[in-house]
DNA sequence: ATGTAATCAAACCAATCGGTCAAACTAATT
DNA sequence: AATTAGTTTGACCGATTGGTTTGATTACAT
């Protein structure tokens, strides 16, 4: 595996140095992917560095050459996920009308959960455990949240939508969309869908959109 | 501790036998409570029988005298929680009108989450991990689910509410209410509420009720 | 070719894990 | 008082954990 010598863009440094850095970058990415898998399915305590190393195609001492400790790797990954999420918030850049913005938010959130179920569940696990590692970083969240709150409040003030509690409204969308990423097993059980079948995500999205549009009088 | 000799209802057996059984019952309950705490905060793999024993006021060999293995204890607890939940489903016994029934369901679900946050999170953790231990028991769920689906569908057919997908509608209520039990940390961060402050649960309940009543045209 | 710095792996460490066992202890029955 | 059944304990087991060490190996610049 990985014996292909893909050509590497020279990033200003010498080609040799570039190769070294590129290699290091790839290894760190492999470690991150492996760790997300392992942490998501076993939890922080249950995950073993041995298993993470193996998944990443490394030996244990080799892994510890690149990371300093299991806890630090765990926290790094959580922050990495949190960073990705800051771009999915309700924001006026997603369209002009409240309906467009709400539709876009729901779509982006469902899309992320579908594409990154492991990361999604890892985040949920950390939060339900009281966010012992993430609590320090959650403050970053608040900026995006407050922005969204202000936006929704302005809709209410302009009477573009029926009155809702902006914070809770946003949180409820978050809850429902997150649910589809985290509770796949329960959902399939509810829907009586087999292990390898998929449920109709387009229908789900339309139903979720309808729920929240009706809730603010847009449908 | 526990040196109080509480009088025990004679359950048909001799008083001595009754005391022995009562004692055993108390110990098993203590183990269950301790295990819910430990499993909820550390997960199945992370939890140690040592710690469970200590929380229950027992030694480790003493704990193993009452239970057979960690895994079995874990599964027993999950089934115990699942049993409690089967009574919280949407059901026509909760009132006459759709509005009354929906209000009652939301109220019961929020109430349970508030009173049993640990159990609630333990269930969520198991489900997000793919329900390796609970999947066999999830079938019991389906009966209650199908009952609720039939009820909601009848509302739609009678044109008592606007058309909704009965299964998804029910699941969305589940998702939002469950969210308040599981994501307390995130919610408090969103709301900028301190560690020991509480958020206004009455306001939350009213907002959740409004969300779903509007969604089916009842408000 | 040679020296140097980065990278790797076998063996190893103390600590903890779930679980067991035989011996001791307690309490009800005879 | 003697017997018995039920309960508790300290010591212990093999397995696994996160992490280290030491010495070999590699890749690069000169």
């Amino acid at each position: 595996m990985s014996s292909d010598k893909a050509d590497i863009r020279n990033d200003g440094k010498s080609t040799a140095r570039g190769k070294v850095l590129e290699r290091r970058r790839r290894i760190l990415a492999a470690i991150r992917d492996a760790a997300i898998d392992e942490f998501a399915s076993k939890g922080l305590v249950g995950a073993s560095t041995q298993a993470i190393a193996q998944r990443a195609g490394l030996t244990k001492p080799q892994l510890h050459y690149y990371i300093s400790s299991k806890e630090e790797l765990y926290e790094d990954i959580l922050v990495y996920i949190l960073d990705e999420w800051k771009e999915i918030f309700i924001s006026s850049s997603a369209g002009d009308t409240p309906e467009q913005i709400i539709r876009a938010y729901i779509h982006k959130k469902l899309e992320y959960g579908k594409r990154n179920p492991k990361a999604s569940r890892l985040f949920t696990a950390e939060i339900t455990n009281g966010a012992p590692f993430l609590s320090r970083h959650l403050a970053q969240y608040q900026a995006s949240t407050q922005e969204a709150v202000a936006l929704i409040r302005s809709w209410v003030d302009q009477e573009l939508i029926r009155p809702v509690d902006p914070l809770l409204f946003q949180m409820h969308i978050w809850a429902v969309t997150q649910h589809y990423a985290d509770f796949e097993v329960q959902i399939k059980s509810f829907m009586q869908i087999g292990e390898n079948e998929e449920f109709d995500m387009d229908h789900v999205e339309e139903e979720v959109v309808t729920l929240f549009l009706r809730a603010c009088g847009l449908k």
Side-chain angles (χ1 to χ4, degrees), chain A:
Chain A
M1 70 184 89
S2 76
S3 63
D4 59 320
K5 310 220 167 131
D7 50 347
I8 293 140
R9 281 169 293 104
N10 192 324
D11 48 68
K13 309 236 177 193
S14 74
T15 307
R17 173 69 84 197
K19 255 187 205 166
V20 167
L21 289 179
E22 170 68 11
R23 184 185 134 80
R24 185 182 189 86
R25 206 190 52 77
R26 259 211 313 263
I27 291 182
L28 288 175
I31 291 176
R32 201 187 51 225
D33 289 345
I36 288 180
D37 265 24
E38 179 74 4
F39 284 134
S41 63
K42 303 280 185 63
L44 169 60
V45 199
S48 83
T49 56
Q50 182 77 262
I52 295 175
Q54 203 160 357
R55 279 193 209 235
L58 307 171
T59 63
K60 197 166 63 162
Q62 203 175 350
L63 174 69
H64 275 93
Y65 179 75
Y66 289 99
I67 70 165
S68 58
S69 78
K70 188 169 77 159
E71 273 79 12
E72 198 180 291
L73 175 60
Y74 181 72
E75 183 165 347
D76 284 350
I77 286 176
L78 286 173
V79 172
Y80 174 84
I81 295 173
L82 194 60
D83 268 345
E84 286 186 322
W85 283 20
K86 281 193 292 187
E87 297 176 16
I88 317 184
F89 261 89
I90 288 180
S91 129
S92 55
S93 66
D96 295 322
T97 68
E99 175 170 347
Q100 284 173 336
I101 294 174
I102 291 172
R103 286 195 112 98
Y105 176 49
I106 291 172
H107 179 76
K108 277 187 295 182
K109 190 75 179 13
L110 285 175
E111 189 72 15
Y112 181 89
K114 192 176 179 181
R115 282 222 284 253
N116 309 82
K118 297 273 180 61
S120 199
R121 284 171 203 160
L122 183 52
F123 183 84
T124 289
E126 166 72 5
I127 295 290
T128 59
N129 276 343
F133 288 84
L134 208 45
S135 55
R136 289 183 302 138
H137 305 276
L138 273 182
Q140 306 176 6
Y141 240 19
Q142 292 182 359
S144 314
T145 309
Q146 291 309 314
E147 219 175 285
V149 165
L151 180 61
I152 297 175
R153 197 187 309 280
S154 79
W155 294 344
V156 174
D157 290 342
Q158 295 173 252
E159 295 186 348
L160 294 174
I161 64 173
R162 294 180 70 176
V164 294
D165 182 313
L167 187 56
L168 298 191
F169 184 75
Q170 167 184 206
M171 216 155 59
H172 294 158
I173 301 182
W174 203 94
V176 171
T177 52
Q178 187 71 13
H179 187 79
Y180 283 98
D182 292 347
F183 287 75
E184 196 186 342
V185 173
Q186 189 196 35
I187 291 169
K188 285 191 170 176
S189 171
F190 270 43
M191 292 188 177
Q192 305 192 2
I193 290 178
E195 188 64 37
N196 293 321
E197 293 175 69
E198 290 209 350
F199 47 90
D200 184 349
M201 212 51 192
D202 288 337
H203 171 57
V204 164
E205 181 169 335
E206 196 47 44
E207 200 70 14
V208 173
V209 166
T210 299
L211 168 65
F212 288 102
L213 288 186
R214 283 183 183 171
C216 55
L218 290 177
K219 194 169 179 181

